[in-house]
Amino acid sequence: MINLLILLVVGGVLGWLASIVMRTDAQQGLFLNVVVGIVGALLAGLLITPLIGGGTITDGSFSATSLLISFLGAVVLLAIVNMVRRGSMR
């Protein structure tokens, strides 16, 4: 239960930071920030972590590497969403 709460908070922060980097912060609310952060973390954990090793935040590993990989996953996810929505990256 506590891991789920931590995952939601960390996912929200990472999603919010990714939305600031991608300049979409004004267009999405708290819920979408959490969703983007968690889904980005999941995708990055599935795709990048096996290549470089280490844990993911979805496994409860909150190291600098896992947070950076999750943040990059959220940024890439937002870039893909922007491409689908607008037809171009920001």
Side-chain angles (χ1 to χ4, degrees), residues 9-87:
V9 170
V10 171
V13 170
L14 291 175
W16 172 66
L17 291 173
S19 69
I20 289 173
V21 168
M22 295 300 293
R23 291 181 266 151
T24 60
D25 189 41
Q27 300 166 1
Q28 58 191 43
L30 177 67
F31 179 73
L32 192 55
N33 282 339
V34 171
V35 170
V36 166
I38 292 173
V39 172
L42 286 171
L43 291 175
L46 290 173
L47 300 175
I48 298 173
T49 302
L51 298 175
I52 64 170
T56 63
I57 66 168
T58 55
D59 293 335
S61 170
F62 294 103
S63 66
T65 305
S66 66
L67 292 173
L68 180 64
I69 289 171
S70 297
F71 172 72
L72 291 176
V75 169
V76 169
L77 181 63
L78 275 178
I80 292 169
V81 168
N82 282 340
M83 283 179 22
V84 170
R85 275 187 176 171
R86 294 185 177 84

